[in-house]
């Protein structure tokens, strides 16, 4: 499938964090605007702050113009004075959610093919009234999605998906069901195909130490995860496991994707393998939504230390998948 030039909606994330300066630096690279038609969900004040923090003023247009991002002001009332910096606030959370909702509305109308958002702060989102555990569940609600969804984490050459995500450790075991393992494995396979991996190889993590040690340390591997792997293989997916989670990432080159059972099982490994380049994508939604895998980094806001590796990779992934969906 040949990709087309996609339309990508971009938000600057939490206004108190490093998101605005990351997006400013991303847009300063001519390759960014050459790769996609960009719609900035923001306002002129936020763009000025982002340009000042980054040392890279953002050029934009208020009407469609070749080579320039199009500014879309969603009409949200900006507080006066402007957002407090380096802090979790309800005002910052409301601004971030309003901008994200605009991107979802655009996607629903077919006006954009992919979404990129800079880092969010969950405390701010909850102060602003978001009742869901995380933004993925909020996306599901706004978009009316009822099927299985999962956050996927991406480094060059390796993807991970989770069977459970933002739940307590005490809730993990009950969430690891045969149905959920199959759904997460199928989703990982589909997104790998969509991201140009032609024959995805997937490894599956065990839940218990030593993959359960033959049932001595738990029977999830025998009764749930192993049968789910067989189900996936029966669908023609190249899948193996379950493997002990403390060694599977040592053999990561054997796989294009690794299916983990809970959040930290994959996140610790991925952040050690490449913290400055990681991407998170919301899988199972009708529009690809990508973001850097790191947080808002309040401690380095405005100091010129924000690393653009992850936001660049997130943008490139949004362009790649959005372009393929635009054709497909």
């Amino acid at each position: 499938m040949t990709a087309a030039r996609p339309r990508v909606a971009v938000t600057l994330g939490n206004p108190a964090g490093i998101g605005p300066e990351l997006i400013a630096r991303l847009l300063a690279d001519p390759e960014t605007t050459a790769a996609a038609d960009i719609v900035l969900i923001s306002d002129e004040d936020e763009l000025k702050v982002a340009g000042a923090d980054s040392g890279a003023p953002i050029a934009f247009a208020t009407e469609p113009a070749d080579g320039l991002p199009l500014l879309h002001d969603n009409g949200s009332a900006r507080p006066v004075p402007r957002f407090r910096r380096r802090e979790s606030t309800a005002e910052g959370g409301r601004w971030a959610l309003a901008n994200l909702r605009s991107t979802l509305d655009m996607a629903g109308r077919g006006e954009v093919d992919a979404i990129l958002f800079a880092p969010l702060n969950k405390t701010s989102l909850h102060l602003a009234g978001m009742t869901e555990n995380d933004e993925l569940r909020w996306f599901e609600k706004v978009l009316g999605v009822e099927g299985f969804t999962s956050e996927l984490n991406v480094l060059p050459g390796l993807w991970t998906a989770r069977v459970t995500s933002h739940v307590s450790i005490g809730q993990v075991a009950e969430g690891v069901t045969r149905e959920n393992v199959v759904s997460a494995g199928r989703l990982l396979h589909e997104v790998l195909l969509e991201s140009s991996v032609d024959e995805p190889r997937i490894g599956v993590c065990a839940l218990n130490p030593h993959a359960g040690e033959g049932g001595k340390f738990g029977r999830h591997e025998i009764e749930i995860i192993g049968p789910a792997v067989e189900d996936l293989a029966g669908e023609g997916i190249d899948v193996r496991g379950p493997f002990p989670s403390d060694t599977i990432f040592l053999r990561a080159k054997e796989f294009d994707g690794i299916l983990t059972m809970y959040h930290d099982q994959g996140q610790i490994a991925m952040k050690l393998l490449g913290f400055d380049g990681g991407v998170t994508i919301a899988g199972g939604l009708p529009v690809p939504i990508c973001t850097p895998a790191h947080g808002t980094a309040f401690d380095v806001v405005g100091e010129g230390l924000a690393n653009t590796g992850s936001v660049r990779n997130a943008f490139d992934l949004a362009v790649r998948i959005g372009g393929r969906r635009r054709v497909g």
Side-chain angles (χ1 to χ4, degrees):
M1 183 186 297
T2 302
R5 179 182 176 87
R7 299 163 297 188
V8 180
V10 177
T11 82
L12 282 63
N14 185 286
I18 60 170
E21 58 192 284
L22 287 176
I23 297 301
R25 291 183 187 176
L26 176 70
L27 295 174
D29 183 348
E31 292 186 4
T32 301
T33 49
D37 294 326
I38 297 170
V39 182
L40 284 173
I41 316 300
S42 183
D43 69 6
E44 293 191 26
D45 184 55
E46 186 176 37
L47 297 185
K48 288 177 183 178
V49 172
D53 281 350
S54 64
I58 298 176
F60 61 90
T62 55
E63 298 291 338
D66 289 341
L68 286 176
L70 176 65
L71 175 62
H72 174 82
D73 189 331
N74 67 26
S76 296
R78 179 176 273 272
V80 179
R82 74 182 191 203
F83 303 109
R84 298 196 301 276
R85 315 192 76 188
R86 305 185 181 198
E87 293 183 36
S88 301
T89 65
E91 293 81 7
R94 280 194 290 269
W95 176 255
L97 285 174
N99 289 338
L100 284 171
R101 186 178 286 274
S102 288
T103 69
L104 299 179
D105 290 344
M106 288 180 170
R109 295 191 297 266
E111 296 172 2
V112 297
D113 307 298
I115 295 167
L116 167 70
F117 66 89
L120 303 174
N121 177 266
K122 287 182 175 58
T123 298
S124 294
L125 300 181
H126 290 134
L127 287 172
M130 187 182 83
T131 57
E132 294 75 21
N133 282 357
D134 55 36
E135 58 271 20
L136 175 58
R137 304 306 165 203
W138 184 80
F139 294 151
E140 285 181 18
K141 179 179 178 180
V142 174
L143 293 170
V145 173
E146 297 182 354
F148 185 87
T149 64
S150 173
E151 285 189 344
L152 299 100
N153 290 95
V154 187
L155 289 172
L158 183 64
W159 291 58
T160 62
R162 313 169 194 163
V163 175
T164 68
S165 187
H166 294 118
V167 300
S168 71
I169 288 295
Q171 295 174 296
V172 167
E174 65 187 64
V176 179
T177 65
R178 183 168 176 172
E179 179 182 5
N180 285 347
V181 174
V182 169
S183 295
R186 189 182 293 135
L187 177 61
L188 178 56
H189 180 257
E190 291 171 353
V191 178
L192 282 165
L193 286 172
E194 199 169 24
S195 69
S196 304
V197 179
D198 292 331
E199 297 180 356
R201 304 162 300 161
I202 295 175
V204 178
C205 286
L207 173 64
N208 296 300
H210 303 183
E213 196 73 60
K216 184 176 181 179
F217 302 148
R219 298 190 59 82
H220 274 76
E221 291 71 24
I222 296 170
E223 297 176 358
I224 296 173
I225 304 172
V229 170
E230 293 177 4
D231 292 342
L232 290 166
E235 297 180 9
I237 296 174
D238 183 353
V239 58
R240 291 184 288 151
F243 298 107
S245 61
D246 60 353
T247 58
I248 189 172
F249 283 91
L250 296 176
R251 52 195 301 182
K253 291 183 179 180
E254 298 176 23
F255 308 112
D256 302 295
I258 293 177
L259 180 60
T260 66
M261 297 300 114
Y262 59 94
H263 183 280
D264 286 4
Q265 192 177 54
Q267 284 293 78
I268 292 172
M270 292 292 274
K271 290 185 177 182
L272 286 172
L273 287 171
F275 182 79
D276 289 331
V279 174
T280 299
I281 178 170
L285 303 179
V287 59
I289 304 179
C290 301
T291 189
H294 59 73
T296 46
F298 286 160
D299 56 324
V300 298
V301 171
E303 296 183 8
L305 300 176
N307 187 300
T308 58
S310 289
V311 74
R312 163 53 66 184
N313 289 344
F315 174 77
D316 290 345
L317 185 59
V319 168
R320 188 161 73 245
I321 298 179
R324 288 171 69 89
R325 288 197 179 186
R326 188 165 176 77
V327 171

